[in-house]
Amino acid sequence: MIQKKIAIIGTVGLPAKYGGFETLTEYLTKHLTDSFDVTVYCSSFFYPKKLKSHNNAQLKYIPLNANGVQSILYDIISIFNALFYADVLLILGVSGCVVLPFIKLISNKVIIVNIDGLEWKRAKWGKAAKIFLKFSERVAVTYADRVVSDNKVIQDYVKYVYNINSELIAYGADHTKKEALSSGVVSEYPFLAKKYAFKVCRIEPENNIYLILHSFSEHPSLDIVVIGNWNNSNYGKEMKLKFNNFENIHLLDPIYDQNILNQIRSNCYFYVHGHSAGGTNPSLVEAMYLELPIITYGINYNLETTANKAKYFNNKNELLKIVSNIKQEELNEIAKDMKNVANNVYTWKVVSAGYANLFLLNSK
């Protein structure tokens, strides 16, 4: 039987190093390359050493940055290149989807778009970028053969705004595993010997960094460890300058060693999640799979992801009240609930099966 040819477009590339879409692509290729002929587009900007394949998927390199303004052209070139051989184009994100009306005129290839939350709502974008991304979202949803939403809230939004039924497929988290703290890691980060809350994320206003750090600056009896890209923006530098001198606040640069990251995550008192935009966040579902107690910003995406079984805050006073009053027994119960939800919903077997079913469908 001839395998369908799948092109995955819109990520930085493989091997995965950078973000949620890259991790998704990593595990889709691990699970699906026995059944499909998969090609993944990669940015030469991030991969000076170019591999021919990874996880039995072929890799193609585009000499552009996969992030920022260049990502539009990066995606568009990838889309046009894929038309020459692929049966199905899986496009992750909407920035390059402005060309889909033309693509549908000249091709009958199946187009699947994961719209990646409501990207145009993110605070980091200026007015022009938001207008462009909202337009790209509309074009993507209108001209794709299938639309993927990673969260029920996003799925409901697509139905309400565009009257289109999208497929609900989230992210997997079972690639993470609990790790005991090693003496070497504690030696490098001595504050881990104490009780600490934990957060890992991009340092952006919409992730409520200020709200969280401000709360812990007023609760010196509990430490917090936050890992993020502090030096990549003026906002990050401002937050680091403002809060780095508090004895109970520990702001770490990105840690790419998965073993060390898992050690620090696995042994926290609870996980704080501040995201207020997007859909299902990979770092949140990973924390759930690690059976961590979750205290999260109470936006609808996060309530949906955690099945309304975590602890929620919407301002500094609410977070302070939770941190000051929560008991170990309650944290233990939340942790069990998070693990049960993750086991049922957020596994790569479930996610990969969802995408495989879409790949086998014909165009609408």
PDB file of all heavy atoms in Angstrom, residues 199 208 212 270-276 284 288 293-299 301-306 308-315 318-319 322 334 338:
ATOM      1  N   LYS A 199       7.577  27.676  38.127  1.00  0.00           N
ATOM      2  CA  LYS A 199       6.937  28.082  36.873  1.00  0.00           C
ATOM      3  C   LYS A 199       7.990  28.094  35.781  1.00  0.00           C
ATOM      4  O   LYS A 199       9.120  28.522  35.998  1.00  0.00           O
ATOM      5  CB  LYS A 199       6.320  29.476  37.023  1.00  0.00           C
ATOM      6  CG  LYS A 199       5.703  30.042  35.739  1.00  0.00           C
ATOM      7  CD  LYS A 199       5.004  31.355  36.008  1.00  0.00           C
ATOM      8  CE  LYS A 199       4.418  31.940  34.725  1.00  0.00           C
ATOM      9  NZ  LYS A 199       3.471  31.021  34.056  1.00  0.00           N
ATOM     10  N   ASN A 208       1.393  36.744  32.895  1.00  0.00           N
ATOM     11  CA  ASN A 208       1.182  37.273  34.246  1.00  0.00           C
ATOM     12  C   ASN A 208       2.410  37.128  35.141  1.00  0.00           C
ATOM     13  O   ASN A 208       2.296  36.814  36.337  1.00  0.00           O
ATOM     14  CB  ASN A 208      -0.039  36.603  34.895  1.00  0.00           C
ATOM     15  CG  ASN A 208      -1.340  37.182  34.373  1.00  0.00           C
ATOM     16  OD1 ASN A 208      -1.605  38.373  34.511  1.00  0.00           O
ATOM     17  ND2 ASN A 208      -2.148  36.348  33.756  1.00  0.00           N
ATOM     18  N   ILE A 212       2.476  37.295  39.400  1.00  0.00           N
ATOM     19  CA  ILE A 212       2.987  36.170  40.188  1.00  0.00           C
ATOM     20  C   ILE A 212       4.173  36.584  41.047  1.00  0.00           C
ATOM     21  O   ILE A 212       4.220  36.309  42.260  1.00  0.00           O
ATOM     22  CB  ILE A 212       3.359  34.996  39.260  1.00  0.00           C
ATOM     23  CG1 ILE A 212       2.087  34.406  38.636  1.00  0.00           C
ATOM     24  CG2 ILE A 212       4.133  33.912  40.017  1.00  0.00           C
ATOM     25  CD1 ILE A 212       2.344  33.469  37.475  1.00  0.00           C
ATOM     26  N   PHE A 270       4.215  23.279  44.480  1.00  0.00           N
ATOM     27  CA  PHE A 270       3.122  23.330  43.514  1.00  0.00           C
ATOM     28  C   PHE A 270       3.599  24.084  42.277  1.00  0.00           C
ATOM     29  O   PHE A 270       4.624  24.783  42.303  1.00  0.00           O
ATOM     30  CB  PHE A 270       1.847  23.967  44.090  1.00  0.00           C
ATOM     31  CG  PHE A 270       2.011  25.331  44.679  1.00  0.00           C
ATOM     32  CD1 PHE A 270       2.163  26.459  43.876  1.00  0.00           C
ATOM     33  CD2 PHE A 270       2.010  25.513  46.062  1.00  0.00           C
ATOM     34  CE1 PHE A 270       2.305  27.722  44.418  1.00  0.00           C
ATOM     35  CE2 PHE A 270       2.161  26.777  46.618  1.00  0.00           C
ATOM     36  CZ  PHE A 270       2.311  27.886  45.797  1.00  0.00           C
ATOM     37  N   TYR A 271       2.850  23.933  41.186  1.00  0.00           N
ATOM     38  CA  TYR A 271       3.186  24.584  39.914  1.00  0.00           C
ATOM     39  C   TYR A 271       2.253  25.767  39.715  1.00  0.00           C
ATOM     40  O   TYR A 271       1.030  25.634  39.826  1.00  0.00           O
ATOM     41  CB  TYR A 271       3.016  23.591  38.763  1.00  0.00           C
ATOM     42  CG  TYR A 271       3.474  24.129  37.425  1.00  0.00           C
ATOM     43  CD1 TYR A 271       4.801  24.028  37.044  1.00  0.00           C
ATOM     44  CD2 TYR A 271       2.582  24.752  36.557  1.00  0.00           C
ATOM     45  CE1 TYR A 271       5.235  24.529  35.823  1.00  0.00           C
ATOM     46  CE2 TYR A 271       3.003  25.258  35.338  1.00  0.00           C
ATOM     47  CZ  TYR A 271       4.332  25.139  34.978  1.00  0.00           C
ATOM     48  OH  TYR A 271       4.750  25.643  33.782  1.00  0.00           O
ATOM     49  N   VAL A 272       2.832  26.933  39.417  1.00  0.00           N
ATOM     50  CA  VAL A 272       2.047  28.146  39.170  1.00  0.00           C
ATOM     51  C   VAL A 272       1.995  28.392  37.666  1.00  0.00           C
ATOM     52  O   VAL A 272       3.029  28.471  37.005  1.00  0.00           O
ATOM     53  CB  VAL A 272       2.669  29.377  39.868  1.00  0.00           C
ATOM     54  CG1 VAL A 272       1.759  30.586  39.689  1.00  0.00           C
ATOM     55  CG2 VAL A 272       2.907  29.103  41.334  1.00  0.00           C
ATOM     56  N   HIS A 273       0.784  28.532  37.137  1.00  0.00           N
ATOM     57  CA  HIS A 273       0.606  28.758  35.706  1.00  0.00           C
ATOM     58  C   HIS A 273      -0.131  30.068  35.513  1.00  0.00           C
ATOM     59  O   HIS A 273      -1.255  30.236  35.985  1.00  0.00           O
ATOM     60  CB  HIS A 273      -0.199  27.595  35.103  1.00  0.00           C
ATOM     61  CG  HIS A 273      -0.301  27.641  33.612  1.00  0.00           C
ATOM     62  ND1 HIS A 273       0.766  27.364  32.783  1.00  0.00           N
ATOM     63  CD2 HIS A 273      -1.343  27.935  32.793  1.00  0.00           C
ATOM     64  CE1 HIS A 273       0.388  27.481  31.524  1.00  0.00           C
ATOM     65  NE2 HIS A 273      -0.890  27.825  31.504  1.00  0.00           N
ATOM     66  N   GLY A 274       0.497  31.003  34.782  1.00  0.00           N
ATOM     67  CA  GLY A 274      -0.085  32.332  34.672  1.00  0.00           C
ATOM     68  C   GLY A 274      -0.604  32.702  33.305  1.00  0.00           C
ATOM     69  O   GLY A 274      -1.043  33.830  33.096  1.00  0.00           O
ATOM     70  N   HIS A 275      -0.593  31.770  32.351  1.00  0.00           N
ATOM     71  CA  HIS A 275      -0.963  32.108  30.976  1.00  0.00           C
ATOM     72  C   HIS A 275      -2.404  32.609  30.884  1.00  0.00           C
ATOM     73  O   HIS A 275      -3.324  31.990  31.427  1.00  0.00           O
ATOM     74  CB  HIS A 275      -0.806  30.896  30.064  1.00  0.00           C
ATOM     75  CG  HIS A 275       0.630  30.508  29.816  1.00  0.00           C
ATOM     76  ND1 HIS A 275       1.515  30.285  30.847  1.00  0.00           N
ATOM     77  CD2 HIS A 275       1.313  30.311  28.665  1.00  0.00           C
ATOM     78  CE1 HIS A 275       2.700  29.964  30.330  1.00  0.00           C
ATOM     79  NE2 HIS A 275       2.610  29.980  29.012  1.00  0.00           N
ATOM     80  N   SER A 276      -2.576  33.724  30.169  1.00  0.00           N
ATOM     81  CA  SER A 276      -3.918  34.286  30.004  1.00  0.00           C
ATOM     82  C   SER A 276      -4.349  34.336  28.549  1.00  0.00           C
ATOM     83  O   SER A 276      -5.389  34.899  28.230  1.00  0.00           O
ATOM     84  CB  SER A 276      -3.966  35.702  30.590  1.00  0.00           C
ATOM     85  OG  SER A 276      -3.091  36.564  29.883  1.00  0.00           O
ATOM     86  N   LEU A 284       1.690  23.443  30.852  1.00  0.00           N
ATOM     87  CA  LEU A 284       0.664  23.110  31.836  1.00  0.00           C
ATOM     88  C   LEU A 284       0.336  21.626  31.804  1.00  0.00           C
ATOM     89  O   LEU A 284       0.270  20.967  32.853  1.00  0.00           O
ATOM     90  CB  LEU A 284      -0.591  23.948  31.589  1.00  0.00           C
ATOM     91  CG  LEU A 284      -1.795  23.653  32.494  1.00  0.00           C
ATOM     92  CD1 LEU A 284      -1.430  23.790  33.965  1.00  0.00           C
ATOM     93  CD2 LEU A 284      -2.962  24.565  32.142  1.00  0.00           C
ATOM     94  N   MET A 288       0.772  18.721  34.667  1.00  0.00           N
ATOM     95  CA  MET A 288      -0.315  17.833  35.069  1.00  0.00           C
ATOM     96  C   MET A 288       0.117  16.368  35.007  1.00  0.00           C
ATOM     97  O   MET A 288      -0.148  15.583  35.921  1.00  0.00           O
ATOM     98  CB  MET A 288      -1.535  18.067  34.179  1.00  0.00           C
ATOM     99  CG  MET A 288      -2.182  19.428  34.366  1.00  0.00           C
ATOM    100  SD  MET A 288      -3.419  19.803  33.095  1.00  0.00           S
ATOM    101  CE  MET A 288      -4.664  18.542  33.434  1.00  0.00           C
ATOM    102  N   PRO A 293       0.635  19.549  41.869  1.00  0.00           N
ATOM    103  CA  PRO A 293      -0.515  20.381  42.203  1.00  0.00           C
ATOM    104  C   PRO A 293      -0.456  21.656  41.353  1.00  0.00           C
ATOM    105  O   PRO A 293       0.605  22.262  41.220  1.00  0.00           O
ATOM    106  CB  PRO A 293      -0.311  20.710  43.683  1.00  0.00           C
ATOM    107  CG  PRO A 293       0.743  19.751  44.166  1.00  0.00           C
ATOM    108  CD  PRO A 293       1.582  19.413  42.992  1.00  0.00           C
ATOM    109  N   ILE A 294      -1.582  22.049  40.774  1.00  0.00           N
ATOM    110  CA  ILE A 294      -1.616  23.187  39.856  1.00  0.00           C
ATOM    111  C   ILE A 294      -2.401  24.341  40.471  1.00  0.00           C
ATOM    112  O   ILE A 294      -3.551  24.169  40.896  1.00  0.00           O
ATOM    113  CB  ILE A 294      -2.274  22.802  38.513  1.00  0.00           C
ATOM    114  CG1 ILE A 294      -1.584  21.579  37.890  1.00  0.00           C
ATOM    115  CG2 ILE A 294      -2.264  24.003  37.563  1.00  0.00           C
ATOM    116  CD1 ILE A 294      -0.177  21.798  37.435  1.00  0.00           C
ATOM    117  N   ILE A 295      -1.767  25.519  40.497  1.00  0.00           N
ATOM    118  CA  ILE A 295      -2.447  26.764  40.820  1.00  0.00           C
ATOM    119  C   ILE A 295      -2.321  27.637  39.580  1.00  0.00           C
ATOM    120  O   ILE A 295      -1.213  27.999  39.182  1.00  0.00           O
ATOM    121  CB  ILE A 295      -1.826  27.450  42.050  1.00  0.00           C
ATOM    122  CG1 ILE A 295      -1.985  26.546  43.279  1.00  0.00           C
ATOM    123  CG2 ILE A 295      -2.464  28.815  42.294  1.00  0.00           C
ATOM    124  CD1 ILE A 295      -1.305  27.080  44.526  1.00  0.00           C
ATOM    125  N   THR A 296      -3.456  27.965  38.948  1.00  0.00           N
ATOM    126  CA  THR A 296      -3.389  28.588  37.634  1.00  0.00           C
ATOM    127  C   THR A 296      -4.290  29.810  37.512  1.00  0.00           C
ATOM    128  O   THR A 296      -5.306  29.925  38.218  1.00  0.00           O
ATOM    129  CB  THR A 296      -3.741  27.562  36.529  1.00  0.00           C
ATOM    130  OG1 THR A 296      -3.691  28.186  35.251  1.00  0.00           O
ATOM    131  CG2 THR A 296      -5.121  26.973  36.732  1.00  0.00           C
ATOM    132  N   TYR A 297      -3.902  30.681  36.626  1.00  0.00           N
ATOM    133  CA  TYR A 297      -4.730  31.834  36.292  1.00  0.00           C
ATOM    134  C   TYR A 297      -6.077  31.336  35.775  1.00  0.00           C
ATOM    135  O   TYR A 297      -6.147  30.397  34.976  1.00  0.00           O
ATOM    136  CB  TYR A 297      -4.032  32.688  35.235  1.00  0.00           C
ATOM    137  CG  TYR A 297      -4.689  34.018  34.984  1.00  0.00           C
ATOM    138  CD1 TYR A 297      -4.618  35.046  35.922  1.00  0.00           C
ATOM    139  CD2 TYR A 297      -5.395  34.255  33.809  1.00  0.00           C
ATOM    140  CE1 TYR A 297      -5.218  36.278  35.695  1.00  0.00           C
ATOM    141  CE2 TYR A 297      -6.000  35.483  33.570  1.00  0.00           C
ATOM    142  CZ  TYR A 297      -5.911  36.489  34.524  1.00  0.00           C
ATOM    143  OH  TYR A 297      -6.516  37.700  34.303  1.00  0.00           O
ATOM    144  N   GLY A 298      -7.163  31.978  36.231  1.00  0.00           N
ATOM    145  CA  GLY A 298      -8.491  31.405  36.039  1.00  0.00           C
ATOM    146  C   GLY A 298      -9.180  31.767  34.746  1.00  0.00           C
ATOM    147  O   GLY A 298     -10.402  31.972  34.740  1.00  0.00           O
ATOM    148  N   ILE A 299      -8.446  31.832  33.647  1.00  0.00           N
ATOM    149  CA  ILE A 299      -9.082  32.074  32.362  1.00  0.00           C
ATOM    150  C   ILE A 299      -9.701  30.787  31.835  1.00  0.00           C
ATOM    151  O   ILE A 299      -9.296  29.681  32.223  1.00  0.00           O
ATOM    152  CB  ILE A 299      -8.067  32.665  31.351  1.00  0.00           C
ATOM    153  CG1 ILE A 299      -8.793  33.344  30.184  1.00  0.00           C
ATOM    154  CG2 ILE A 299      -7.091  31.598  30.864  1.00  0.00           C
ATOM    155  CD1 ILE A 299      -7.893  34.237  29.341  1.00  0.00           C
ATOM    156  N   TYR A 301      -9.500  29.019  29.127  1.00  0.00           N
ATOM    157  CA  TYR A 301      -8.639  27.992  28.533  1.00  0.00           C
ATOM    158  C   TYR A 301      -8.063  27.080  29.615  1.00  0.00           C
ATOM    159  O   TYR A 301      -8.012  25.851  29.455  1.00  0.00           O
ATOM    160  CB  TYR A 301      -7.453  28.618  27.784  1.00  0.00           C
ATOM    161  CG  TYR A 301      -7.791  29.691  26.803  1.00  0.00           C
ATOM    162  CD1 TYR A 301      -7.433  31.017  27.039  1.00  0.00           C
ATOM    163  CD2 TYR A 301      -8.440  29.388  25.616  1.00  0.00           C
ATOM    164  CE1 TYR A 301      -7.722  32.017  26.138  1.00  0.00           C
ATOM    165  CE2 TYR A 301      -8.741  30.389  24.694  1.00  0.00           C
ATOM    166  CZ  TYR A 301      -8.379  31.696  24.966  1.00  0.00           C
ATOM    167  OH  TYR A 301      -8.668  32.675  24.067  1.00  0.00           O
ATOM    168  N   ASN A 302      -7.603  27.692  30.698  1.00  0.00           N
ATOM    169  CA  ASN A 302      -6.955  26.917  31.758  1.00  0.00           C
ATOM    170  C   ASN A 302      -7.954  26.079  32.544  1.00  0.00           C
ATOM    171  O   ASN A 302      -7.640  24.963  32.962  1.00  0.00           O
ATOM    172  CB  ASN A 302      -6.192  27.857  32.692  1.00  0.00           C
ATOM    173  CG  ASN A 302      -5.072  28.595  31.985  1.00  0.00           C
ATOM    174  OD1 ASN A 302      -4.543  28.112  30.984  1.00  0.00           O
ATOM    175  ND2 ASN A 302      -4.702  29.762  32.486  1.00  0.00           N
ATOM    176  N   LEU A 303      -9.161  26.615  32.749  1.00  0.00           N
ATOM    177  CA  LEU A 303     -10.198  25.824  33.409  1.00  0.00           C
ATOM    178  C   LEU A 303     -10.524  24.586  32.582  1.00  0.00           C
ATOM    179  O   LEU A 303     -10.715  23.486  33.123  1.00  0.00           O
ATOM    180  CB  LEU A 303     -11.458  26.660  33.630  1.00  0.00           C
ATOM    181  CG  LEU A 303     -11.555  27.431  34.944  1.00  0.00           C
ATOM    182  CD1 LEU A 303     -10.569  28.590  35.002  1.00  0.00           C
ATOM    183  CD2 LEU A 303     -12.977  27.953  35.159  1.00  0.00           C
ATOM    184  N   GLU A 304     -10.601  24.761  31.262  1.00  0.00           N
ATOM    185  CA  GLU A 304     -10.907  23.650  30.371  1.00  0.00           C
ATOM    186  C   GLU A 304      -9.787  22.619  30.392  1.00  0.00           C
ATOM    187  O   GLU A 304     -10.030  21.409  30.484  1.00  0.00           O
ATOM    188  CB  GLU A 304     -11.120  24.165  28.948  1.00  0.00           C
ATOM    189  CG  GLU A 304     -11.535  23.106  27.943  1.00  0.00           C
ATOM    190  CD  GLU A 304     -12.912  22.534  28.220  1.00  0.00           C
ATOM    191  OE1 GLU A 304     -13.803  23.272  28.663  1.00  0.00           O
ATOM    192  OE2 GLU A 304     -13.084  21.312  27.987  1.00  0.00           O
ATOM    193  N   THR A 305      -8.543  23.067  30.305  1.00  0.00           N
ATOM    194  CA  THR A 305      -7.399  22.156  30.286  1.00  0.00           C
ATOM    195  C   THR A 305      -7.340  21.317  31.550  1.00  0.00           C
ATOM    196  O   THR A 305      -7.072  20.106  31.494  1.00  0.00           O
ATOM    197  CB  THR A 305      -6.083  22.948  30.136  1.00  0.00           C
ATOM    198  OG1 THR A 305      -6.116  23.688  28.911  1.00  0.00           O
ATOM    199  CG2 THR A 305      -4.883  22.018  30.115  1.00  0.00           C
ATOM    200  N   THR A 306      -7.588  21.936  32.684  1.00  0.00           N
ATOM    201  CA  THR A 306      -7.469  21.247  33.973  1.00  0.00           C
ATOM    202  C   THR A 306      -8.786  20.639  34.444  1.00  0.00           C
ATOM    203  O   THR A 306      -8.885  20.181  35.584  1.00  0.00           O
ATOM    204  CB  THR A 306      -6.960  22.217  35.053  1.00  0.00           C
ATOM    205  OG1 THR A 306      -7.844  23.354  35.118  1.00  0.00           O
ATOM    206  CG2 THR A 306      -5.554  22.707  34.741  1.00  0.00           C
ATOM    207  N   ASN A 308     -11.388  21.923  35.390  1.00  0.00           N
ATOM    208  CA  ASN A 308     -11.934  22.661  36.536  1.00  0.00           C
ATOM    209  C   ASN A 308     -11.606  22.001  37.875  1.00  0.00           C
ATOM    210  O   ASN A 308     -12.362  22.109  38.836  1.00  0.00           O
ATOM    211  CB  ASN A 308     -13.452  22.828  36.396  1.00  0.00           C
ATOM    212  CG  ASN A 308     -13.951  24.100  37.048  1.00  0.00           C
ATOM    213  OD1 ASN A 308     -13.191  25.023  37.316  1.00  0.00           O
ATOM    214  ND2 ASN A 308     -15.248  24.143  37.308  1.00  0.00           N
ATOM    215  N   LYS A 309     -10.446  21.330  37.946  1.00  0.00           N
ATOM    216  CA  LYS A 309     -10.067  20.600  39.157  1.00  0.00           C
ATOM    217  C   LYS A 309      -8.802  21.155  39.818  1.00  0.00           C
ATOM    218  O   LYS A 309      -8.292  20.572  40.777  1.00  0.00           O
ATOM    219  CB  LYS A 309      -9.859  19.116  38.828  1.00  0.00           C
ATOM    220  CG  LYS A 309     -11.133  18.395  38.406  1.00  0.00           C
ATOM    221  CD  LYS A 309     -10.838  16.942  38.047  1.00  0.00           C
ATOM    222  CE  LYS A 309     -12.104  16.209  37.595  1.00  0.00           C
ATOM    223  NZ  LYS A 309     -13.069  16.025  38.682  1.00  0.00           N
ATOM    224  N   ALA A 310      -8.266  22.275  39.291  1.00  0.00           N
ATOM    225  CA  ALA A 310      -7.084  22.893  39.890  1.00  0.00           C
ATOM    226  C   ALA A 310      -7.527  23.995  40.855  1.00  0.00           C
ATOM    227  O   ALA A 310      -8.708  24.099  41.209  1.00  0.00           O
ATOM    228  CB  ALA A 310      -6.175  23.451  38.797  1.00  0.00           C
ATOM    229  N   LYS A 311      -6.602  24.822  41.267  1.00  0.00           N
ATOM    230  CA  LYS A 311      -6.891  25.994  42.093  1.00  0.00           C
ATOM    231  C   LYS A 311      -6.656  27.217  41.219  1.00  0.00           C
ATOM    232  O   LYS A 311      -5.661  27.285  40.494  1.00  0.00           O
ATOM    233  CB  LYS A 311      -5.959  26.007  43.298  1.00  0.00           C
ATOM    234  CG  LYS A 311      -6.496  26.754  44.490  1.00  0.00           C
ATOM    235  CD  LYS A 311      -7.552  25.958  45.235  1.00  0.00           C
ATOM    236  CE  LYS A 311      -7.948  26.694  46.519  1.00  0.00           C
ATOM    237  NZ  LYS A 311      -9.113  26.073  47.150  1.00  0.00           N
ATOM    238  N   TYR A 312      -7.550  28.234  41.299  1.00  0.00           N
ATOM    239  CA  TYR A 312      -7.525  29.324  40.325  1.00  0.00           C
ATOM    240  C   TYR A 312      -7.444  30.690  41.005  1.00  0.00           C
ATOM    241  O   TYR A 312      -8.008  30.902  42.072  1.00  0.00           O
ATOM    242  CB  TYR A 312      -8.767  29.263  39.443  1.00  0.00           C
ATOM    243  CG  TYR A 312      -8.933  27.915  38.785  1.00  0.00           C
ATOM    244  CD1 TYR A 312      -9.766  26.941  39.346  1.00  0.00           C
ATOM    245  CD2 TYR A 312      -8.220  27.601  37.633  1.00  0.00           C
ATOM    246  CE1 TYR A 312      -9.886  25.684  38.754  1.00  0.00           C
ATOM    247  CE2 TYR A 312      -8.345  26.354  37.035  1.00  0.00           C
ATOM    248  CZ  TYR A 312      -9.173  25.399  37.610  1.00  0.00           C
ATOM    249  OH  TYR A 312      -9.286  24.159  37.029  1.00  0.00           O
ATOM    250  N   PHE A 313      -6.723  31.607  40.332  1.00  0.00           N
ATOM    251  CA  PHE A 313      -6.617  32.987  40.800  1.00  0.00           C
ATOM    252  C   PHE A 313      -6.794  33.926  39.614  1.00  0.00           C
ATOM    253  O   PHE A 313      -6.522  33.568  38.465  1.00  0.00           O
ATOM    254  CB  PHE A 313      -5.263  33.237  41.474  1.00  0.00           C
ATOM    255  CG  PHE A 313      -4.083  33.099  40.539  1.00  0.00           C
ATOM    256  CD1 PHE A 313      -3.579  34.193  39.847  1.00  0.00           C
ATOM    257  CD2 PHE A 313      -3.463  31.864  40.354  1.00  0.00           C
ATOM    258  CE1 PHE A 313      -2.498  34.069  38.984  1.00  0.00           C
ATOM    259  CE2 PHE A 313      -2.377  31.731  39.492  1.00  0.00           C
ATOM    260  CZ  PHE A 313      -1.889  32.830  38.801  1.00  0.00           C
ATOM    261  N   ASN A 314      -7.248  35.152  39.897  1.00  0.00           N
ATOM    262  CA  ASN A 314      -7.427  36.152  38.850  1.00  0.00           C
ATOM    263  C   ASN A 314      -6.734  37.475  39.173  1.00  0.00           C
ATOM    264  O   ASN A 314      -6.740  38.383  38.340  1.00  0.00           O
ATOM    265  CB  ASN A 314      -8.917  36.398  38.598  1.00  0.00           C
ATOM    266  CG  ASN A 314      -9.575  35.200  37.930  1.00  0.00           C
ATOM    267  OD1 ASN A 314      -9.326  34.919  36.768  1.00  0.00           O
ATOM    268  ND2 ASN A 314     -10.395  34.485  38.686  1.00  0.00           N
ATOM    269  N   ASN A 315      -6.151  37.580  40.361  1.00  0.00           N
ATOM    270  CA  ASN A 315      -5.423  38.793  40.737  1.00  0.00           C
ATOM    271  C   ASN A 315      -4.438  38.450  41.846  1.00  0.00           C
ATOM    272  O   ASN A 315      -4.405  37.322  42.348  1.00  0.00           O
ATOM    273  CB  ASN A 315      -6.382  39.913  41.167  1.00  0.00           C
ATOM    274  CG  ASN A 315      -7.329  39.465  42.267  1.00  0.00           C
ATOM    275  OD1 ASN A 315      -6.909  38.983  43.313  1.00  0.00           O
ATOM    276  ND2 ASN A 315      -8.637  39.606  42.025  1.00  0.00           N
ATOM    277  N   GLU A 318      -5.949  37.179  45.263  1.00  0.00           N
ATOM    278  CA  GLU A 318      -6.440  35.796  45.216  1.00  0.00           C
ATOM    279  C   GLU A 318      -5.286  34.806  45.259  1.00  0.00           C
ATOM    280  O   GLU A 318      -5.372  33.774  45.930  1.00  0.00           O
ATOM    281  CB  GLU A 318      -7.287  35.585  43.962  1.00  0.00           C
ATOM    282  CG  GLU A 318      -8.627  36.292  44.007  1.00  0.00           C
ATOM    283  CD  GLU A 318      -9.453  36.086  42.748  1.00  0.00           C
ATOM    284  OE1 GLU A 318      -9.013  35.350  41.851  1.00  0.00           O
ATOM    285  OE2 GLU A 318     -10.554  36.671  42.676  1.00  0.00           O
ATOM    286  N   LEU A 319      -4.210  35.101  44.535  1.00  0.00           N
ATOM    287  CA  LEU A 319      -3.050  34.203  44.565  1.00  0.00           C
ATOM    288  C   LEU A 319      -2.417  34.177  45.949  1.00  0.00           C
ATOM    289  O   LEU A 319      -2.073  33.099  46.467  1.00  0.00           O
ATOM    290  CB  LEU A 319      -2.027  34.639  43.516  1.00  0.00           C
ATOM    291  CG  LEU A 319      -0.734  33.809  43.446  1.00  0.00           C
ATOM    292  CD1 LEU A 319      -1.035  32.326  43.249  1.00  0.00           C
ATOM    293  CD2 LEU A 319       0.166  34.313  42.322  1.00  0.00           C
ATOM    294  N   ILE A 322      -4.473  32.006  48.266  1.00  0.00           N
ATOM    295  CA  ILE A 322      -4.275  30.572  48.015  1.00  0.00           C
ATOM    296  C   ILE A 322      -2.941  30.114  48.599  1.00  0.00           C
ATOM    297  O   ILE A 322      -2.860  29.115  49.321  1.00  0.00           O
ATOM    298  CB  ILE A 322      -4.330  30.270  46.503  1.00  0.00           C
ATOM    299  CG1 ILE A 322      -5.735  30.503  45.959  1.00  0.00           C
ATOM    300  CG2 ILE A 322      -3.895  28.822  46.223  1.00  0.00           C
ATOM    301  CD1 ILE A 322      -5.816  30.469  44.445  1.00  0.00           C
ATOM    302  N   ILE A 334      -5.366  17.708  44.471  1.00  0.00           N
ATOM    303  CA  ILE A 334      -5.272  18.363  43.164  1.00  0.00           C
ATOM    304  C   ILE A 334      -4.291  17.614  42.267  1.00  0.00           C
ATOM    305  O   ILE A 334      -4.556  17.384  41.077  1.00  0.00           O
ATOM    306  CB  ILE A 334      -4.836  19.833  43.330  1.00  0.00           C
ATOM    307  CG1 ILE A 334      -5.922  20.644  44.044  1.00  0.00           C
ATOM    308  CG2 ILE A 334      -4.528  20.466  41.969  1.00  0.00           C
ATOM    309  CD1 ILE A 334      -5.473  22.036  44.460  1.00  0.00           C
ATOM    310  N   MET A 338      -5.039  16.053  38.575  1.00  0.00           N
ATOM    311  CA  MET A 338      -4.303  16.487  37.391  1.00  0.00           C
ATOM    312  C   MET A 338      -3.719  15.290  36.639  1.00  0.00           C
ATOM    313  O   MET A 338      -3.761  15.222  35.412  1.00  0.00           O
ATOM    314  CB  MET A 338      -3.176  17.456  37.779  1.00  0.00           C
ATOM    315  CG  MET A 338      -3.634  18.781  38.381  1.00  0.00           C
ATOM    316  SD  MET A 338      -4.685  19.776  37.281  1.00  0.00           S
ATOM    317  CE  MET A 338      -6.326  19.295  37.826  1.00  0.00           C
TER     318      MET A 338
END
